[in-house]
Amino acid sequence: MLMDRTLASPITRRSLLQGCSAVALGAAGLGSISPARAATDLKGKTVVFASWGGAYQDAEKVSYCEPFAAATGARVVQDGPMNVAKFRSMIEGGAPDWDVADITIDFLYAGIGDKLFEKIDTTLVDISRVNPQFVNEYGIGCIVWSYNLGYSTKIFPAGKEPRTWADLFDLKRFPGKRTLGDNVVATLEVALLADGVTPDKLYPLDVERALKKLDTIKSETIFWSTNSQSQQLFVDGEVGLGLILNGRAYDAAKKGAPIGLSWEQNIQSVDYLVVPRGSRNRDAAMILIDTMTQPENQAKLANLIAYAPTNPAAFKSIDPKIEPWLSTAPENVAKGFVINAAFWRDNLKPLQERWNTWKLA
């Protein structure tokens, strides 16, 4: 279960579904932008936006950054991909290069403890339009997404495709190269799920058991370091199955790649927008985040890459054909669970070090 420090209730599978889908029916009025924000003149300002690269950041540029630039006169420079170690080193150096960053919720919680972020300025960011469960004192949720098992429909046709995380570890039934993220987050969960641990018994994670399970496929696994790379591995046919984000799989399929997606035990999560502590363009950064919460902008992004919005009013503008690819679709929510960000808040740094040691062994 996942708890936002500014909220009275946890983000659960049920609240994820209710908050992102059902609420959309009556939320049309949440998407307005205040005249003061709309009229802000930021000509001559440059804001550096860091995200995850590839198709997702391309979609963010079109859906968020270009409307912001048009409305304010500011210039937005794209950077990334997002990297936790780089983020931390910039803050420690006292002069961050980034003004707004798109980060995962596990890093949000860990970073709050380490004082890495500016507080969200609610005089510049209209938090009322965002579902309350995705509003934190230090970050605003921008997308809801999931880790899924992806597979090549060319290698594994209908009826013979992998469906579970256990299948990912079955080298006999599903031979060939597979892929996982070069990241301790979600990878340990996947290994334990494959080893028979049920979602309700996952946390606290049995790290050594997970690494022992990962040992069984280590030699046949390509570990991707960016979300763009995970997508490209499938597009190029370098892997037949593996861990991929739902939106990346959708984008690959949209572009003609033979990729399918299993929703069994999908691991659901949220990305947040933050302003690094010490940003030289704090106010402009806040106004960019405000632009990113507007319903028309979030709907545009969802239609481009199938990541669900955090502003309920955006759902009414999402193409119905996208819904089966969204982690917030009722049938997809029901098959998955929400990652425990509170666990990762307390354990991210030491377990990432343990992961790096395991990788080199």
Side-chain angles (χ1 to χ4, degrees), residues 71-151:
T72 66
R75 174 171 171 256
V76 182
V77 174
Q78 303 293 319
D79 201 359
M82 168 58 201
N83 179 279
V84 169
K86 183 176 181 179
F87 193 108
R88 288 185 181 279
S89 66
M90 285 193 301
I91 303 304
E92 290 168 1
D97 297 325
W98 299 341
D99 297 306
V100 177
D102 182 322
I103 67 171
T104 54
I105 192 170
D106 42 272
F107 181 49
L108 172 74
Y109 281 14
I112 289 171
D114 293 336
K115 298 180 172 55
L116 299 182
F117 315 123
E118 297 281 347
K119 285 188 177 182
I120 297 298
D121 186 340
T122 56
T123 67
L124 297 173
V125 181
D126 183 359
I127 62 173
S128 70
R129 63 164 72 102
V130 179
N131 188 302
Q133 66 177 321
F134 302 130
V135 175
N136 184 282
E137 190 176 10
Y138 292 91
I140 302 297
C142 57
I143 57 167
V144 182
W145 52 276
S146 58
Y147 298 97
N148 293 70
L149 175 62
Y151 58 88

Side-chain angles (χ1 to χ4, degrees), residues 30 66 70 99 104 110 138 145 177 179 240 273 279 301 339 342 348 360:
L30 294 180
E66 291 179 359
D99 297 306
T104 54
Y138 292 91
W145 52 276
K177 290 293 183 181
T179 189
L273 301 167
S279 166
L301 183 131
I339 199 165
L348 180 59
L360 295 172

Side-chain angles (χ1 to χ4, degrees), residues 41-242:
D41 185 352
L42 296 175
K43 289 179 182 177
K45 289 282 187 179
T46 297
V47 181
V48 180
F49 174 61
S51 189
W52 302 94
Y56 174 49
Q57 192 159 352
D58 289 344
E60 289 182 300
K61 179 182 178 182
V62 172
S63 304
Y64 299 151
C65 300
E66 291 179 359
F68 166 78
T72 66
R75 174 171 171 256
V76 182
V77 174
Q78 303 293 319
D79 201 359
M82 168 58 201
N83 179 279
V84 169
K86 183 176 181 179
F87 193 108
R88 288 185 181 279
S89 66
M90 285 193 301
I91 303 304
E92 290 168 1
D97 297 325
W98 299 341
D99 297 306
V100 177
D102 182 322
I103 67 171
T104 54
I105 192 170
D106 42 272
F107 181 49
L108 172 74
Y109 281 14
I112 289 171
D114 293 336
K115 298 180 172 55
L116 299 182
F117 315 123
E118 297 281 347
K119 285 188 177 182
I120 297 298
D121 186 340
T122 56
T123 67
L124 297 173
V125 181
D126 183 359
I127 62 173
S128 70
R129 63 164 72 102
V130 179
N131 188 302
Q133 66 177 321
F134 302 130
V135 175
N136 184 282
E137 190 176 10
Y138 292 91
I140 302 297
C142 57
I143 57 167
V144 182
W145 52 276
S146 58
Y147 298 97
N148 293 70
L149 175 62
Y151 58 88
S152 167
T153 56
K154 185 177 181 180
I155 299 174
F156 305 113
K160 297 183 178 180
E161 71 273 21
R163 293 186 175 277
T164 68
W165 295 119
D167 292 340
L168 177 63
F169 286 76
D170 191 335
L171 294 171
K172 291 183 178 179
R173 291 181 57 219
F174 304 98
K177 290 293 183 181
R178 50 257 288 131
T179 189
L180 287 166
D182 186 7
N183 191 335
V184 69
V185 179
T187 308
L188 295 185
E189 282 93 336
V190 164
L192 291 171
L193 291 166
D195 206 36
V197 180
T198 56
D200 62 315
K201 302 294 184 182
L202 269 180
Y203 302 97
L205 299 177
D206 186 335
V207 177
E208 297 310 314
R209 178 178 176 179
L211 295 177
K212 184 177 180 180
K213 183 68 174 178
L214 286 162
D215 281 334
T216 65
I217 62 168
K218 188 176 183 180
S219 63
E220 290 297 309
T221 300
I222 298 174
F223 294 95
W224 49 263
S225 57
T226 68
N227 295 324
S228 296
Q229 184 187 5
S230 71
Q231 182 176 338
Q232 199 62 41
L233 287 170
F234 281 97
V235 171
D236 294 342
E238 292 188 49
V239 300
L241 68 167

